[in-house]
Structures are given as C-alpha cells and as structure tokens.
C-alpha cells in the first residue's frame, strides 16, 4: 500500500473523526496536527488513533503563534511508543516539562528528530544512545550547550538558539554535516577533531556567532568541503596557515569576520578551493599582496568592502580558472587592468562603488578576452580632457559594461550627474601650450643636429679639458693622404726622427692603438699628445674627405690650444681651382706662411732648416727632448 500525505487541521475539532484503530490499514506519509480549542486532548486522541501505523513524518505542535497550550501535559505524547515513525518534529511549545525527554525513548529508532521553538531546561538527556541520523534544534532556549553523544548521528542543525553561549565539546563520530550558525556561541579554541568528536565532517557552518579563536589548523578534519565563518569574530586568523590541512575544501566564507590579512600564507594548502568569500575584512596598508598562490582551482572570489586601495601586479597570476571576481565597495581611484591579464577564464568583474575616475594606464588592453560583464557603476568619473581616452573607452565598451547608462560624471561640478555616454567633450589645446611644444621640439632638434655635426669637435674639447696640463708624447702629428705615404716615410720621417735634434712624430700607421675607432685615435693619440700638427697638402689631400676632416679637427684643436700649432707643407703645386673648393684651406694658405717642397740640393737644405726651426718653436729643452705642454 503506498504512503499517503495527510494533513489534519485540528482547529476543525475532528475528535469524533479520529478514533483508536481508525487508520490501521493506512500508512501515512505525513501527518500534521495543529492547535484547536482542546489541543492536548485532540493530540492525545490522534496519536492513539494512529496506533500500529507506519508514519513517515509526524509533526506536532502549535503553528499559528496563538499559544493556546499553556501547560503541556506529557500524557498527550504517551501513544508515541505505539507508532513506527521515521521523521518526528515537535514545534512551538513554550513550557516543556523537565521529564518529557523520557518519552523520547519511544523515538530511539527515528531517523530524523526535530525541535523547533521549544524551551528545554534539561539537556543532559540528549546523551542517550539514540539512533538518530539527523537532529535539528532550531530557535530553542537552552540553559547550556547540550553535551551530545550520538554515535549514529550524521547531520546536526543547531541554529538560532538562545541561552549559554559557550560551545562544549561533543562526541559525534559519524557526523558529516554540522550547522552551528546564528547562536552567538564562543569558541576558546577552533578547530580540530577533538572539538566535534568526528573525522568524517564535510560541512561546517559557524557563521553569525561570537568570538572564535583559531588555535588549530583543522587537524583530523581533513575531509571538510564546506566551511562558513561569516559574521563571526575570528581571532588569530592571520598568524599562521590556518587552513593548511584542508586540501579537500571547496567552499570557504570568512566574510565580515574582523580579519586583518597581514600574513601572505593565510590560504596555503587550499588546493581544491573553488569559492572564497572574504568581504568586509581588511588588509595591511590596504594592499592586496600575492596571497592566492595555492588557489589554482578557484572559480569565485569576493573581495568587496575590504578598503583596498592597491593591488600587487601579480596578485591574481595563480588563478587561471577564476570566473567571478567582486572588487566592489573598495577605495580604488583608478582602473588598473594589468593584474587581470592572466585571468584567462574571467567572466564577471565587479568594480562598482569605488572612487574610480580614470584608468591607471591609458591603454586598457590587459582585460582578458573571456570577460563578458564589467560593472563600473557608482564611481567618481572625472569628465575632463585629461581623461578623454578613458571616457572614449567606456563608450566603445558599452556592450561589456553593466548598466552603462548609470555611469555618471562626478567632476567637474558643471558636469556632475551627466551620463558618461551622453558626454561630448571637445578638447582644444591652448595656443600657449602649442607654441611651447613646437619651440621645445625645434630646440631639441637643433641641439641634436649640432651635436651630431660637431660630435668630434666636442670630443676634442673634452679631451683638452681633461688632458690640458699633461705632457706631450710627440713633437708633431702628421696629417697626409695615403697617396703621399712614400714621401712621408722616406723623406719626412727619415730626416726628422733620425736628424739632429731628433723629433718624434705621430703617424697613424705606426702609433694608433689597434681596436680603437679611427676618430678616437686621431683625437686622443694624434692631437692631444702632440705639440704641433704637420699638414701635408697635395692634390690627393684636397680630394680626400678623410684628410679634410682631419684638417677641420686640426683647426678646432688650434683654436682650443690658443697657439699657432699648424705647419703647412705644400708637397706639389695645386691647381687653384681645386684648392678653392676648400675655402677655409685656401684662405689659410693665402694669409699664412707655409713650406714648399723642392727636390733640389739647395731647396732641400732650406726646407729642412725652416721645418726644424718651426718644430723647435715653443719646445722646452729636456735631456730626452720630448717634453712640453698640451692644450691650454
């Protein structure tokens, strides 16, 4: 015969309808007895009338808050021992007799036992060896926390109760589900297997209680999958890795628990966690550090109302599976997209009710492509030209943004309350700014060109400043064309270095340092270490760009050294038309005395005598004959 659902409203006073033995052939699915004018008698008659039946669920008590039962007589429940009941509930009885628990011995085999809004004075009787699997005590009044010792109990709901507020250890070895929420309980030490007498616990709700001191890291409770502390006052939460042993935990709620995160390893060990709610707490220096390194499987994260102002750039790098992130009700002043670039699965991001006025970096390319909903409502948008690119980005991303029509300007005052979407800012730079910008560009360009053109001249000046008072290694640095090298080797070097007095010449093929740039050798080895410069002028010299470059540097050197240090030797007659191409050289030869090479006995004698005299000019005497001063 199938089980039936039957609810009898005793306010209709059906005493004559329910007689003993009336339901012997009916197996009731649910029987609810409600108060009437003679409630206790009706309840007693009904229970006796159900004798011998199998009742799946029996609910007894007052339901309309009329409280017609002032003095409860336990004789109304004496017939319970004659019933076979699977689920029993007793509700809304204010004055529960002290010895009524004795009657519950008749309910030793029920699977589910519930007391709702019942005042119980004696609680030690709950330690009988009942075979209950589900015990529910809701909105009751206890003089102390019941010392429960129930070996078969798998599910305990102890919620919204009043009375003594200190938790007492229980012994429930089969317990898997424990709800202790909304009792105002205090825990001197939490949490380990010794507190609950079980190692099978998977669900633990300690929300909306008083002070809970975290003194253990859940040893013996490694099977926990759901843990809720919200709106309780947690102590010592950030002093060690509280959750280190909870490798199977999937859900954790520590919202509004007065937790101040100062230890980066607070969530170490939570490798299976998928939901983390920690709204309403605080962080050291209002900075979110890298505290989620072990949470690779996290899907939901709530960081709202945490007074956050800054994020570590790598705060979310270890959360590749995160789908929902709530950052609302914080104190961010700019939208920084960089920390989110590794959130490849992010679907929803809530940044509402912050103080965001602009983006931290103008380019907002770091938001993951998976993002579908971004909430920026009720922020302090700055609708000025300075943030025009961010305002334009908002308009371009209107499909991504949640309730974009509610996004309004906060500053300046003349635009306050204007929807960002309807804003049309025409930004024009002032003439002064444009003028200063153009002038700055021109000055920088001119300086760059001058530095590029006179780079080697500047190097020469720097060398003069650095080596100005140093000794000269050479008597003269020789500038000549490679086409005239035979004359330099066979005539100039041989007569000056092997003659009397001997002169030391600086020659590039012999004295330049290998591995150093030619220009650097010319300046540092040639000019800076020589008293004079000999320029061998020929048609080959005039046609060589490198020789002309060396000659121009020599002119700068002569100017910086403040003395006539250049000796010109015209090796062969040069056509005037060719010479005039080098204007400065032509003018210098026209205005200054120079030496001409003549390949005759008399011409040679006069040439060498005049050249030695020019080289000796300004040369102080020394035993080695190679002493002198450099650039002045």
């Amino acid at each position: 015969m199938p089980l039936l659902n039957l609810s009898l409203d005793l306010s209709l006073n059906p005493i004559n309808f329910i007689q003993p033995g009336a339901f012997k052939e009916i197996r009731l699915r649910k029987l609810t007895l409600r108060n009437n004018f003679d409630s206790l008698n009706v309840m007693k008659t009904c229970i006796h009338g159900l004798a011998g039946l199998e009742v799946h669920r029996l609910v007894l008590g007052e339901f309309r808050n009329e409280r017609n039962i002032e003095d409860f007589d336990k004789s109304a429940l004496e017939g319970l021992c004659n019933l076979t009941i699977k689920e029993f509930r007793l509700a809304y009885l204010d004055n529960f007799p002290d010895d009524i628990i004795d009657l519950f011995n008749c309910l030793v085999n029920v699977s589910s036992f519930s007391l709702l809004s019942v005042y119980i004075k004696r609680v030690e009787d709950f330690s009988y060896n009942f075979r209950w699997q589900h015990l529910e005590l809701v909105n009751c009044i206890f003089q102390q926390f019941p010392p429960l010792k129930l070996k078969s109990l798998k599910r305990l709901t102890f919620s919204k109760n009043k009375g003594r507020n200190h938790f007492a250890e229980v012994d429930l070895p089969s317990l898997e589900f424990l709800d202790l929420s909304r009792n105002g309980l205090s825990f001197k030490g939490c949490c380990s297997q010794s507190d609950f007498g079980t190692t099978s616990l998977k669900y633990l709700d300690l929300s909306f209680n008083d002070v809970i001191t975290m003194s253990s890291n859940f040893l013996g409770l490694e099977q926990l999958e759901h843990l809720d502390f919200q709106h309780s006052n947690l102590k010592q939460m950030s002093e060690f890795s509280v959750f280190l042993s909870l490798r199977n935990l999937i859900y954790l709620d520590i919202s509004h628990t007065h937790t101040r995160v100062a230890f980066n390893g607070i969530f170490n060990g939570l490798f299976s966690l998928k939901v983390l709610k920690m709204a309403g707490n605080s962080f050291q220096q209002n900075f979110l550090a890298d505290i989620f390194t072990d949470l690779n499987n996290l899907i939901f994260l709530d960081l709202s109302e945490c007074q956050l102002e800054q994020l570590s750039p790598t705060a979310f790098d270890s959360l590749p599976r995160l789908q929902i992130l709530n950052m609302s009700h914080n104190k961010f002043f700019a939208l920084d997209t960089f920390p989110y670039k590794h959130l490849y699965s992010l679907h929803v991001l809530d940044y509402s009710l912050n103080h965001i006025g602009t983006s931290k970096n103008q380019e907002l390319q770091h938001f993951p492509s998976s993002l579908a909903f971004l909430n920026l409502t009720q922020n302090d948008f700055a609708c000025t030209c300075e943030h025009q690119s961010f305002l334009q980005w908002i308009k371009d991303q209107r499909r991504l943004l949640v309730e974009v029509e509610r996004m309004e300007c906060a500053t300046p005052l003349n635009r306050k309350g204007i929807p960002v979407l309807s804003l049309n800012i025409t930004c024009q730079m002032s003439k002064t700014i444009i003028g200063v910008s153009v002038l700055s560009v021109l000055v920088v360009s001119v300086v760059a060109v001058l530095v590029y053109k006179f780079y080697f001249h500047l190097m020469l000046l720097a060398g003069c400043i650095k080596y100005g008072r140093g000794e000269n290694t050479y008597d003269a640095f020789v500038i000549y064309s490679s086409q005239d090298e035979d004359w330099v080797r066979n005539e100039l070097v041989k007569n000056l270095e092997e003659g009397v007095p001997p002169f030391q010449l600086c020659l590039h093929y012999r004295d330049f340092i290998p591995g150093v740039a030619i220009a650097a050798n010319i300046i540092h080895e040639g000019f800076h270490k020589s008293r004079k410069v000999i320029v061998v002028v020929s048609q080959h010299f005039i046609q060589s760009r490198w020789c002309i470059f060396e000659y121009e540097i020599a002119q700068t050197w002569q100017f910086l050294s403040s003395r006539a240090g250049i000796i010109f030797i015209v090796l062969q007659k040069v056509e005037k038309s060719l010479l005039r191409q080098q204007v400065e050289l032509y003018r210098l030869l026209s205005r200054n005395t120079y030496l001409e090479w003549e390949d005759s006995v008399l011409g040679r004698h006069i040439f060498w005598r005049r050249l030695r005299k020019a080289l000796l000019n300004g040369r102080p005497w020394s035993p080695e004959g190679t002493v002198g001063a450099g650039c002045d």
Side-chain angles (χ1 to χ4, degrees):
M1 184 179 293
L3 297 179
L4 301 177
N5 288 316
L6 179 61
S7 178
L8 299 179
D9 189 345
L10 298 186
S11 60
L12 300 177
N13 200 15
I15 292 180
N16 297 326
F17 174 73
I18 302 177
Q19 301 294 334
F23 296 115
K24 287 184 179 180
E25 301 297 322
I26 300 177
R27 299 170 64 198
L28 295 178
R29 178 67 178 174
K30 178 180 179 182
L31 177 59
T32 302
L33 302 180
R34 300 182 178 179
N35 61 297
N36 63 71
F37 303 106
D38 194 6
S39 299
L40 293 179
N41 289 332
V42 173
M43 187 178 296
K44 182 176 180 180
T45 302
C46 289
I47 291 175
H48 282 281
L50 298 173
L53 295 182
E54 179 182 349
V55 179
H56 183 82
R57 186 179 189 192
L58 177 61
V59 181
L60 303 176
E62 296 185 285
F63 289 85
R64 296 182 181 176
N65 294 323
E66 296 177 5
R67 295 296 183 266
N68 292 316
I69 303 178
E70 296 180 358
D71 296 315
F72 187 83
D73 184 357
K74 71 175 185 178
S75 63
L77 302 178
E78 289 177 350
L80 291 176
C81 293
N82 298 321
L83 301 179
T84 302
I85 306 171
K86 290 187 176 181
E87 297 181 12
F88 177 79
R89 170 173 287 190
L90 191 63
Y92 298 105
L93 295 176
D94 288 338
N95 297 307
F96 207 65
D98 291 346
D99 56 351
I100 194 67
I101 299 295
D102 296 336
L103 289 176
F104 292 162
N105 287 324
C106 299
L107 302 172
V108 66
N109 292 319
V110 300
S111 61
S112 178
F113 181 88
S114 301
L115 294 179
L116 176 63
S117 297
V118 176
Y119 178 31
I120 299 178
K121 297 179 181 179
R122 293 174 57 197
V123 293
E124 62 273 9
D125 302 284
F126 279 111
S127 59
Y128 284 134
N129 192 22
F130 296 114
R131 297 176 185 175
W132 301 338
Q133 294 186 12
H134 178 197
L135 173 60
E136 184 180 30
L137 305 172
V138 178
N139 203 29
C140 295
I141 300 176
F142 293 91
Q143 290 185 343
Q144 65 181 39
F145 190 89
L148 302 173
K149 295 181 180 180
L150 301 170
K151 295 181 179 180
S152 302
L153 196 68
K154 293 184 178 182
R155 187 181 181 97
L156 171 60
T157 301
F158 186 88
S159 180
K160 302 178 184 179
N161 295 300
K162 299 177 179 62
R164 298 295 179 90
N165 61 353
H166 288 288
F167 175 75
E169 293 183 357
V170 295
D171 185 11
L172 306 169
S174 301
L175 195 67
E176 297 179 358
F177 180 100
L178 177 57
D179 182 357
L180 296 176
S181 63
R182 301 178 184 275
N183 296 297
L185 293 173
S186 294
F187 293 77
K188 293 182 179 180
C190 183
C191 298
S192 66
Q193 178 267 340
S194 61
D195 296 322
F196 310 115
T198 179
T199 59
S200 303
L201 200 61
K202 294 183 178 181
Y203 183 104
L204 177 59
D205 188 347
L206 297 176
S207 62
F208 295 91
N209 280 295
D210 201 1
V211 177
I212 300 177
T213 303
M214 308 301 295
S215 59
S216 174
N217 55 0
F218 295 88
L219 293 177
L221 300 177
E222 290 82 3
Q223 300 303 315
L224 268 177
E225 297 178 357
H226 183 108
L227 182 58
D228 193 345
F229 284 111
Q230 63 171 307
H231 290 277
S232 294
N233 189 358
L234 298 184
K235 299 293 185 182
Q236 301 179 11
M237 259 291 291
S238 194
E239 296 183 7
F240 62 102
S241 298
V242 177
F243 311 106
L244 189 61
S245 61
L246 299 182
R247 292 176 173 266
N248 297 311
L249 196 67
I250 296 175
Y251 180 99
L252 174 61
D253 192 343
I254 58 171
S255 303
H256 303 279
T257 54
H258 305 280
T259 299
R260 181 171 179 80
V261 180
F263 173 51
N264 287 1
I266 184 173
F267 297 121
N268 285 358
L270 297 176
F271 300 106
S272 301
L273 196 67
K274 293 185 178 181
V275 177
L276 175 58
K277 298 180 180 181
M278 52 186 307
N281 294 302
S282 62
F283 291 79
Q284 190 173 29
Q285 297 180 348
N286 296 332
F287 176 78
L288 179 61
D290 299 340
I291 62 174
F292 306 121
T293 52
D294 287 352
L295 310 187
N296 304 119
N297 291 301
L298 199 66
I299 295 176
F300 180 97
L301 176 59
D302 186 358
L303 290 168
S304 60
E305 300 182 71
C306 289
Q307 305 178 49
L308 285 170
E309 296 177 359
Q310 291 180 309
L311 298 175
S312 165
T314 56
F316 303 123
D317 282 5
S318 57
L319 307 178
R321 294 179 175 84
L322 191 67
Q323 297 179 13
I324 301 175
L325 175 57
N326 188 354
M327 303 292 290
S328 64
H329 292 83
N330 280 296
K331 296 181 179 180
F332 293 104
F333 288 90
L335 182 62
D336 187 3
T337 63
F338 187 79
Y340 309 103
K341 65 178 182 178
H342 294 297
L343 297 180
Y344 307 116
S345 304
L346 190 64
H347 191 67
V348 177
L349 176 59
D350 190 350
Y351 253 110
S352 60
L353 291 158
N354 277 273
H355 303 291
I356 295 173
T358 183
S359 60
K360 190 170 184 179
N361 29 12
Q362 293 298 327
E363 298 182 5
L364 298 168
Q365 76 277 21
H366 294 299
F367 273 133
S369 58
S370 60
L371 190 63
F373 301 98
L374 173 61
N375 192 345
L376 295 177
T377 57
Q378 300 187 61
N379 276 287
D380 302 332
F381 297 108
C383 300
T384 61
C385 289
E386 182 182 357
H387 308 301
Q388 186 179 21
S389 60
F390 177 62
L391 298 173
Q392 185 60 47
W393 179 85
I394 291 176
K395 294 180 180 180
D396 295 339
Q397 302 295 324
R398 64 182 67 189
R399 293 185 178 180
L400 173 67
L401 297 169
V402 176
E403 297 182 331
V404 65
E405 64 279 356
R406 293 179 54 199
M407 297 171 62
E408 299 177 345
C409 299
T411 58
L413 289 176
N414 61 337
R415 293 183 180 141
K416 187 174 182 179
I418 298 177
V420 174
L421 287 182
S422 63
L423 191 66
N424 186 15
I425 302 178
T426 303
C427 298
Q428 295 181 347
M429 297 179 65
S430 66
K431 294 182 179 180
T432 303
I433 296 176
I434 295 174
V436 171
S437 301
V438 172
L439 182 61
S440 300
V441 171
L442 288 176
V443 170
V444 171
S445 301
V446 170
V447 171
V449 170
L450 291 175
V451 170
Y452 175 79
K453 184 174 182 180
F454 297 103
Y455 172 74
F456 296 104
H457 300 267
L458 295 173
M459 284 181 62
L460 188 63
L461 175 60
C464 278
I465 296 173
K466 183 177 181 180
Y467 304 109
R469 297 182 181 179
E471 295 183 353
N472 296 125
T473 304
Y474 307 104
D475 290 294
F477 170 49
V478 184
I479 300 175
Y480 62 94
S481 169
S482 60
Q483 301 293 326
D484 303 320
E485 188 168 327
D486 288 341
W487 182 85
V488 172
R489 285 173 180 265
N490 297 327
E491 295 290 346
L492 189 64
V493 175
K494 185 176 181 181
N495 281 278
L496 293 181
E497 293 192 344
E498 296 178 7
V500 179
F503 296 95
Q504 185 66 37
L505 303 179
C506 179
L507 304 167
H508 68 83
Y509 68 85
R510 183 185 67 187
D511 301 311
F512 281 6
I513 300 173
V516 178
I518 296 176
N521 268 316
I522 291 173
I523 293 172
H524 297 298
E525 294 299 319
F527 291 109
H528 289 323
K529 294 184 179 181
S530 303
R531 291 189 305 108
K532 304 279 185 178
V533 173
I534 296 176
V535 180
V536 181
V537 180
S538 67
Q539 290 189 5
H540 301 302
F541 180 92
I542 295 174
Q543 293 174 346
S544 171
R545 296 180 61 185
W546 195 257
C547 290
I548 297 301
F549 165 74
E550 289 181 290
Y551 160 69
E552 291 176 349
I553 297 297
Q555 281 187 298
T556 304
W557 171 80
Q558 184 183 34
F559 173 77
L560 294 174
S561 63
S562 301
R563 63 173 179 261
I566 301 179
I567 303 172
F568 290 96
I569 299 175
V570 178
L571 191 59
Q572 54 186 270
K573 289 186 178 181
V574 182
E575 295 181 5
K576 289 186 177 181
S577 60
L578 188 62
L579 186 59
R580 286 172 180 169
Q581 294 178 8
Q582 301 299 328
V583 178
E584 291 299 325
L585 180 60
Y586 176 73
R587 289 179 179 176
L588 199 60
L589 291 177
S590 301
R591 297 175 182 176
N592 293 276
T593 302
Y594 56 88
L595 297 175
E596 284 188 278
W597 170 254
E598 291 186 13
D599 194 8
S600 64
V601 177
L602 180 60
R604 280 170 168 271
H605 175 75
I606 296 172
F607 177 83
W608 294 119
R609 181 173 61 82
R610 295 178 65 192
L611 181 55
R612 286 190 180 94
K613 183 179 179 180
L615 289 174
L616 286 171
N617 183 32
R619 176 184 181 183
W621 181 89
S622 68
E624 293 83 10
T626 57
V627 114
C631 302
D632 295 329

